[in-house]
Amino acid sequence: MALTDHSRRLEAIAPYKFAELEQQVADKKAAGIDVISLGIGDPDQPTFPHVVAAMQGAVADPSTHQYPSNRGRLEFREALAGFYERRFGVEIDPEREVIPAIGAKECIYNLCFAFLDPGDVALASDPGYPVYTGGPLLAGGEAVVMALNPERGFAPDLDAIPAEALGRARLLFLNYPNNPTGAVVPEGLFERVVTLALEHEILVVHDNAYSETTFDGYVAPSFLATPGAKEVGVEVFSLSKGYNMTGWRCAAILGNADAVTAYWRLKTNVDSGLFDAVQLAGAAALEGSQAPVNEMNELYARRRDLVVGALREIGVEVEAPKGTIYIWAPVPEGHTSSSFAELVLEQAAVVVSPGSMYGTSGEGFFRISLTTPDERLSEAVERLREHLA
Ligand SMILES: *Cc1c(COP(=O)(O)O)cnc(C)c1O
């Protein structure tokens, strides 16, 4: 064994498959070619001014300078409870049913350590956010994927989950509006999941990263608004995407009080909480005007229409999503996800994400992110029209 050999757990995580594509992008840039990346989902617009101002005030207040508590400041917990009531009609007890998270990613990862032992299974939608499969593996458990296909409106087929996996399942990860497919929750899915979770004693984790990013009048529900949801599940709410706060690491877990306590107990061993000033800024974002959120949605909807129009012109059949910052589209006949991504890079110097990056069921698709400034996005779209039509 060599000094820097990885642990078996780390080794079990599939190595980053697109190192090759990344290298090709780097080579092109080194050769002076102007590559436009539509790969990464990270809002290009700044955090709203009133949130920045709240942060500036909070940073100047010495009461934010010491270790935060993992339970979180009462101001932030109350702001989250108030927001859940106003926005989703969900009642949250700020004392027992919510604590801050240092981003949804941290929360999902640590939930795996709080609930999985060797031999335990986490059910994960596929394609999906990579932590749903990586987290369980690193925690010493297993991930069993549930395929999301357009034929089912990107709902997992709960009846197709093998009985053996259901028997060992402790966690089930869902995410609507969905990354990477852009799908909104299919009718009745949350209700069916509550029934399944009660029957098999599985804790449902709904990753709510995109409820505030929706278009065409669609309003996304909280999983916790489903009857019985609080008995079987938690929701991870993140301010990253909807409030242009990816760098701030501002999120929370809400719902089942025992699950929230288990997560808190784990975290007291792992980290020392979310910076109090970030919690106060998060409270300002949730309690202040939501008009900037709507303006962002108008911006994304315009970009979405631009991209969808161009894709249709080059023969890609794609539906305009009602939420998220992504377009999920099938690759043209004769291509795999990665061969198409390579072709787009070669011909148009534009980076799109191969769908297979998000799991086996993502093969045959590619993802375009709408978080590139207007001018660059228009330029990318022109190049697709010019070189791929
Ligand atoms: C971006 C994203 C996250 C990450 O949220 P953070 O709060 O920034 O960690 C979580 N889940 C999904 C589905 C995402 O797309």
Side-chain angles (χ1 to χ4, degrees), residues 210-270:
Y210 295 99
S211 61
E212 304 318 292
T213 306
T214 59
F215 322 118
D216 307 338
Y218 175 78
V219 179
S222 162
F223 169 69
L224 298 177
T226 315
K230 249 201 237 172
E231 279 167 59
V232 298
V234 289
E235 184 155 271
V236 185
F237 181 79
S238 171
L239 282 79
S240 282
K241 310 297 177 16
Y243 294 85
N244 296 346
M245 291 176 74
T246 47
W248 300 54
R249 316 312 302 129
C250 189
I253 182 172
L254 307 100
N256 186 284
D258 293 334
V260 169
T261 300
Y263 169 69
W264 166 81
R265 190 170 151 196
L266 181 96
K267 267 171 81 75
T268 56
N269 291 285
V270 176

Side-chain angles (χ1 to χ4, degrees), residues 103-106 108 129 132 175 179 207 209-210 238 240-241 246 249-251 326:
K105 191 180 203 175
E106 174 266 297
I108 293 160
Y129 193 58
Y132 308 154
N175 159 230
N179 173 14
D207 179 0
Y210 295 99
S238 171
S240 282
K241 310 297 177 16
T246 47
R249 316 312 302 129
C250 189
Y326 309 108

Side-chain angles (χ1 to χ4, degrees), residues 307-320:
V307 172
V308 165
L311 289 176
R312 285 181 182 156
E313 277 178 46
I314 65 168
V316 173
E317 281 176 44
V318 59
E319 275 186 52

Side-chain angles (χ1 to χ4, degrees), residues 141-369:
E142 288 169 43
V144 170
V145 296
M146 306 177 289
L148 306 186
N149 299 313
E151 297 76 38
R152 304 182 57 86
F154 297 107
D157 183 354
L158 302 178
D159 297 329
I161 302 169
E164 190 272 333
L166 266 184
R168 291 193 290 133
R170 305 258 3 249
L171 293 173
L172 186 154
F173 293 116
L174 282 182
N175 159 230
Y176 295 97
N178 182 262
N179 173 14
T181 68
V184 300
V185 65
E187 184 81 39
L189 177 65
F190 283 163
E191 289 78 3
R192 294 198 297 280
V193 166
V194 168
T195 305
L196 182 89
L198 277 173
E199 189 183 338
H200 297 277
E201 300 190 308
I202 304 170
L203 182 73
V204 179
V205 178
H206 182 245
D207 179 0
N208 185 7
Y210 295 99
S211 61
E212 304 318 292
T213 306
T214 59
F215 322 118
D216 307 338
Y218 175 78
V219 179
S222 162
F223 169 69
L224 298 177
T226 315
K230 249 201 237 172
E231 279 167 59
V232 298
V234 289
E235 184 155 271
V236 185
F237 181 79
S238 171
L239 282 79
S240 282
K241 310 297 177 16
Y243 294 85
N244 296 346
M245 291 176 74
T246 47
W248 300 54
R249 316 312 302 129
C250 189
I253 182 172
L254 307 100
N256 186 284
D258 293 334
V260 169
T261 300
Y263 169 69
W264 166 81
R265 190 170 151 196
L266 181 96
K267 267 171 81 75
T268 56
N269 291 285
V270 176
D271 64 57
S272 300
L274 175 62
F275 183 18
D276 272 338
V278 171
Q279 294 186 48
L280 293 173
L286 296 171
E287 288 175 336
S289 165
Q290 303 297 297
V293 175
N294 298 333
E295 282 163 31
M296 284 306 303
N297 289 341
E298 281 161 27
L299 175 71
Y300 290 136
R302 277 202 309 278
R303 291 178 181 174
R304 171 198 68 173
D305 294 342
L306 180 77
V307 172
V308 165
L311 289 176
R312 285 181 182 156
E313 277 178 46
I314 65 168
V316 173
E317 281 176 44
V318 59
E319 275 186 52
K322 288 201 187 69
T324 78
I325 49 181
Y326 309 108
I327 308 284
W328 183 248
V331 300
E333 284 238 351
H335 277 288
T336 64
S337 291
S338 45
S339 77
F340 184 67
E342 271 175 43
L343 178 83
V344 174
L345 178 64
E346 236 7 88
Q347 306 274 313
V350 168
V351 179
V352 300
S353 304
S356 46
M357 219 165 116
Y358 306 95
T360 320
S361 298
E363 180 51 53
F365 293 86
F366 65 100
R367 192 192 81 172
I368 283 179
S369 165

